[in-house]
Amino acid sequence: MLSIVEAQQKDNMKSNFKHIILAILSLNVVVSFAQERESDSIDAGTVNVVKPYTPKISDAFKIKETPSLNDSTTANKKEIKYNIFSIPVASTFTPAKGKAASVDKEKAVKLYDNYASLGVGTYTTILGEVYLNHALSNTERVGGYFSHHSSAGDIEDVNFDNNFAETGLNAHYSQKLSDYAWKVEGGFQLQSYNWYGLPDQSIDKFDVDHSFYTANFGGSINFEEGIINKGSVLYRRFGDDQDSGENRFVLKSEFDVPVSDEMINTEVTFDYIGGSFDRSYLLNEELNFGNFNIGVAPSYQMKQDDLTVNLGVNLVYLRDTEASDGKFFIYPNITASYRLVDEIMIAYGGIQGGMIQNSYYDFAQENPFVSPTLVVSPTDQAYNASIGLKGKLSNSLSYAISGHYLADNNRALFKTNSVLGTAEENYQFGNSLGIVYDDVSTFSIAGELNVDVNRNFKLALKAEYFGYDTDNEAEAWNLPDIEASVFLDYQIDEHWFAGANLFFVGERKDVFAIEQSFFPVDSPQTITLDSFFDVNAHVGYKINDQLSAFAKANNIVNKDYQRWLNYPVQGIQFLAGITYQFDF
């Protein structure tokens, strides 16, 4: 049997060997034929396949039955049964129900629309305020404001009356609709002061009181969408008890002008002022003044990454109605900012200018001891160049550093009036200030630091140094070389709060002169006013949501400094009062 199988295997091997030899010979023939075709100049024909090849998968051979096992060692599976044997166990464990963690919420602070405050203090000081604000509907509100501040004066070493009083009343009505919001308001103010700053307090006492009154009416409108963004109008009448009067009318509008798919923001201003004084300081002749200016200020804003640039110009036409003379001015209006390090450091700068409309009202609010004999004329601020850095060192600490250079033509300066030997009015004894104009160049460096910790502690520090250069006047009269301030507010706890502020004003220059029939008796003397600190503080206690008490202390260091020449201030002052908040 084995020999037959071996013989068959040998025959198969011989057959396979023949097949291999035939395959090798066929391959040599194909290769040689291919080489001959490469040298053939006749191109090969194209074979078109008529029917694509479709392969079929044949059925695999499968075993049709399960083979049987005849192994004698095959064992049968043993059936296994499982039983659970439970034993009761006594337990005292009782799981507690889970409770979701809660977030402690602060009690919402109720805000009131109205408040009234009243305080009294030393020097017979009275300070009162009432603010009212009532919603007529979801879109309409009406309100008003009343204030009064007065003191008996009693300044040490002053022989003349030095009391003052300021009383104001304002009312407004506003409406906010879906497309625009508008507001109309009007007010009246009465102020009374005394020209108590006589160089010689030993002369016989006479009446040196004077008063101002102000009446104003105006309104504003803001649009949500459209070419016109906003507009405002103001009329103000200001006068005194010396037969002086002034009218001011200001109309402003801001709108966007589309130019080549870009928007040009444009501001248009009309500013009129006119008034008169009963006399000049030296002559008993009426003094009139008046002018109006029309300004157009287009600007275009460009933004690219961290750079923002505003390019603009301010065009102003000024008309002097008394001299019947007009002039056209062109001012730069360019600003830029660049984020050097996100919010940490931002560089900014610019060069701007404009027409500053001076007024009797503005002079009297800054210095209530001016005489009713002023020359009122606008200031041409040719340019105000600035450069600086600002940013946030943290979420609670911000800073700003800047430098400025200003060129003001016809800048207004306060200067003490001379003593007239032939004085007829109660302000001609060297106890009032007038206005002189000069071209002044100003250089300044300023720094600012603000701290805001959790809205409970706020601290602000500011300081600025000034350098002046004048053309005609010997000094930049009554302009300080340094100004600094510190503001502090601290919410101690839920009930207690406190705050303080400190002002520092550097040295100023003024002049003292005596005149007799237009001729100076002695050469004018330049006087240096000392620098001064003014420290003030306040503390308060919140009794409940509506009622709180407060106490204030002013001029804590008790300095009898002079804000203006021969005008000392009150010493240390104390005041206490209450504030009540309410709703209608």
Side-chain angles (χ1 to χ4, degrees), residues 334-527:
I334 302 172
T335 61
S337 65
Y338 182 75
R339 297 178 184 271
L340 297 174
V341 187
D342 294 331
E343 297 291 333
I344 298 176
M345 183 178 295
I346 302 174
Y348 65 95
I351 179 169
Q352 298 173 291
M355 185 66 63
I356 301 174
Q357 183 72 286
N358 297 313
S359 67
Y360 183 30
Y361 171 83
D362 294 330
F363 292 145
Q365 299 308 303
E366 184 178 355
N367 183 352
F369 308 113
V370 292
S371 62
T373 60
L374 305 180
V375 175
V376 178
S377 178
T379 296
D380 166 28
Q381 187 172 89
Y383 58 86
N384 178 359
S386 63
I387 188 172
L389 290 173
K390 63 180 179 179
K392 286 186 175 182
L393 300 178
S394 66
N395 291 332
S396 59
L397 182 63
S398 62
Y399 71 94
I401 304 172
S402 62
H404 297 262
Y405 186 80
L406 294 80
D408 293 321
N409 300 320
N410 204 47
R411 179 171 179 173
L413 304 172
F414 291 106
K415 184 179 180 181
T416 298
N417 290 321
S418 58
V419 179
L420 295 185
T422 58
E424 300 176 356
E425 306 291 342
N426 58 356
Y427 53 79
Q428 294 179 326
F429 293 84
N431 56 335
S432 64
L433 289 91
I435 295 293
V436 295
Y437 293 90
D438 196 8
D439 295 344
V440 182
S441 298
T442 306
F443 168 76
S444 69
I445 299 177
E448 181 178 347
L449 188 66
N450 293 282
V451 180
D452 188 351
V453 181
N454 297 328
R455 297 185 179 180
N456 292 327
F457 179 84
K458 294 181 179 180
L459 176 65
L461 299 92
K462 298 180 182 180
E464 188 166 8
Y465 168 79
F466 301 92
Y468 308 100
D469 183 29
T470 58
D471 280 358
N472 300 318
E473 297 294 326
E475 300 285 349
W477 307 116
N478 282 292
L479 294 180
D481 57 354
I482 298 176
E483 284 185 345
S485 62
V486 178
F487 294 92
L488 170 66
D489 277 315
Y490 181 43
Q491 185 70 40
I492 302 173
D493 57 26
E494 184 180 357
H495 296 283
W496 287 98
F497 58 91
N501 54 70
L502 180 149
F503 299 95
F504 174 79
V505 178
E507 293 182 346
R508 292 135 292 137
K509 303 288 186 178
D510 206 337
V511 66
F512 173 75
I514 300 176
E515 294 187 14
Q516 182 73 33
S517 299
F518 302 101
F519 296 100
V521 175
D522 296 314
S523 299
Q525 301 178 17
T526 299
I527 298 176

Side-chain angles (χ1 to χ4, degrees), residues 170-174 182-188 215-221 231-237 248-252:
N170 181 275
H172 67 267
Y173 170 82
S174 63
W182 63 279
K183 179 180 181 180
V184 61
E185 59 184 337
F188 181 81
N216 63 274
F217 178 81
S220 61
I221 187 169
S232 64
V233 61
L234 169 68
Y235 170 75
R236 182 178 63 225
R237 172 68 181 180
R248 180 88 179 268
F249 179 77
V250 181
L251 180 65
K252 294 183 179 181

